[in-house]
Amino acid sequence: MVALRGSGPLKLGGTMNVSIAGAESNVAIGLARLGHTVRWVGAVGDDEAGELVLRTLRAESVDVSGAWKDAGAPTGLILFEPRLPDLTRVHYYRAGSAGSRLTPDVLDRAFATAVPRVLHLTGITPALSPTARAASTHALRLAHDHGTLVCLDVNHRARLWAADQASAVLQDWMPYVDLLIASADELPLCLPPGSPTDTGAQARALLSAGVQEVTVKLGSAGATSYTRPFRPGAPAGSTSDTHSAEAPSDAQDAGGDALHQPAVAVRAVDAVGAGDAFVAGYLSALLDGEGVAGRLERGVTTGAFAVASPGDWEGAPTRAELNLLGAPPGTVVR
């Protein structure tokens, strides 16, 4: 989408900064800055706004060869309205947009070009329209058929669809998901009625249902990952095997399948995009072959960069910048 950021209440007018936004594109940029090869597959309008989206992604070294230009629909729009120092209202204009008209054949072409190691989806795209929902479901099935690891960030947007609508879709998706990322209040959307109310119990219910790993974003409290307990004889490289090789932690429970990572303390500037930045860091470490502890550490680090910087993706670090948060206050890098 094109993103417009106001300086105050929209009804009062004023100036706006123009950029782009979108959970998937935020993650794509974050991964590209960390040195990974990333391809963004989506739809934009055949308009100047769409050109801005594609130009920005290309400038960030994201491959957009799989993007589709829809001449019959405009590029989506999002408005950010800072209303209080710690409260921002978001207004979506995505009904009838090019992104809402994404079709399954776009995914067929993308997988025919190159099969990805990881497919990252969010719960935002299926909320846009039945067409976009079908395309997202098709992507899951293609990934399953090609042995691609599927990462799903729930990212529930109440302004786009109701909780019961989201839950019906997400529950159907769970058999295809390897890595589920969600905030604690989003986990119930992935489970049937009558499921446990405790976060840990919910995560374990999802593991029992087939998800390989559940990572819960906890904002300023950090993040916790739940993985299947180590099984003797588990194949090398499996989630369970990787987790079992980590040093014991006080945060791990008796089953050895929960690991917590505190957040990195920074001066908060803008919390928008922090969750996507966390996902980018987490997936980066996963692609590097890191265990759960390394994934969490990089995730909270990239998330902290987002919180300490204005914008959705602008503050995403490069690999060389990952250690900057440990510098003393007032440090000048010369």
Side-chain angles (χ1 to χ4, degrees), residues 188-223:
L189 297 175
C190 304
L191 291 163
S195 296
T197 56
D198 173 74
T199 298
Q202 290 171 344
R204 292 181 182 87
L206 288 162
L207 295 175
S208 297
V211 178
Q212 297 296 312
E213 184 174 344
V214 178
T215 297
V216 183
K217 296 178 290 186
L218 301 169
S220 60

Side-chain angles (χ1 to χ4, degrees), residues 324-332:
L324 289 181
L325 293 179
T331 296
V332 177

Side-chain angles (χ1 to χ4, degrees), residues 218-264:
L218 301 169
S220 60
T224 301
S225 279
Y226 299 83
T227 56
R228 296 182 180 186
F230 171 65
R231 302 183 310 274
S238 70
T239 302
S240 299
D241 183 69
T242 301
H243 186 268
S244 70
E246 295 171 355
S249 165
D250 291 338
Q252 289 177 297
D253 65 6
D257 63 348
L259 188 63
H260 178 74
Q261 177 69 41
V264 178

Side-chain angles (χ1 to χ4, degrees), residues 34-293:
L34 291 169
H36 300 280
T37 300
V38 188
R39 190 160 39 125
W40 180 84
V41 178
V44 297
D46 191 7
D47 50 28
E48 292 301 296
E51 289 297 331
L52 173 62
V53 171
L54 297 180
R55 179 178 182 272
T56 303
L57 290 171
R58 282 194 297 264
E60 292 293 333
S61 301
V62 176
D63 181 351
V64 294
S65 60
W68 170 47
K69 287 186 181 181
D70 187 342
T75 300
L77 173 67
I78 185 171
L79 302 180
F80 293 96
E81 177 189 22
R83 195 61 189 86
L84 294 170
D86 293 316
L87 189 149
T88 298
R89 289 194 292 218
V90 176
H91 306 276
Y92 297 99
Y93 297 87
R94 305 188 73 172
S97 68
S100 74
R101 290 161 38 125
L102 186 67
T103 54
D105 61 291
V106 176
L107 283 305
D108 284 326
R109 292 195 294 271
F111 270 80
T113 301
V115 175
R117 288 178 60 192
V118 176
L119 171 69
H120 176 63
L121 295 172
T122 76
I124 297 174
T125 305
L128 300 181
S129 70
T131 306
R133 194 172 309 144
S136 300
T137 302
H138 188 59
L140 286 172
R141 291 171 177 161
L142 284 171
H144 181 267
D145 292 344
H146 287 85
T148 295
L149 185 147
V150 173
C151 171
L152 171 65
D153 186 353
V154 172
N155 257 335
H156 178 59
R157 298 291 184 263
R159 289 195 171 189
L160 293 178
W161 60 348
D164 58 341
Q165 293 176 301
S167 185
V169 172
L170 292 170
Q171 287 181 55
D172 286 344
W173 281 13
M174 287 303 106
Y176 297 95
V177 175
D178 297 297
L179 168 59
L180 178 68
I181 300 179
S183 57
D185 61 344
E186 291 171 334
L187 286 181
L189 297 175
C190 304
L191 291 163
S195 296
T197 56
D198 173 74
T199 298
Q202 290 171 344
R204 292 181 182 87
L206 288 162
L207 295 175
S208 297
V211 178
Q212 297 296 312
E213 184 174 344
V214 178
T215 297
V216 183
K217 296 178 290 186
L218 301 169
S220 60
T224 301
S225 279
Y226 299 83
T227 56
R228 296 182 180 186
F230 171 65
R231 302 183 310 274
S238 70
T239 302
S240 299
D241 183 69
T242 301
H243 186 268
S244 70
E246 295 171 355
S249 165
D250 291 338
Q252 289 177 297
D253 65 6
D257 63 348
L259 188 63
H260 178 74
Q261 177 69 41
V264 178
V266 293
R267 183 170 65 87
V269 173
D270 184 356
V272 176
D276 300 328
F278 172 87
V279 173
Y282 200 91
L283 288 178
S284 170
L286 184 150
L287 289 166
D288 286 348
E290 295 281 350
V292 178

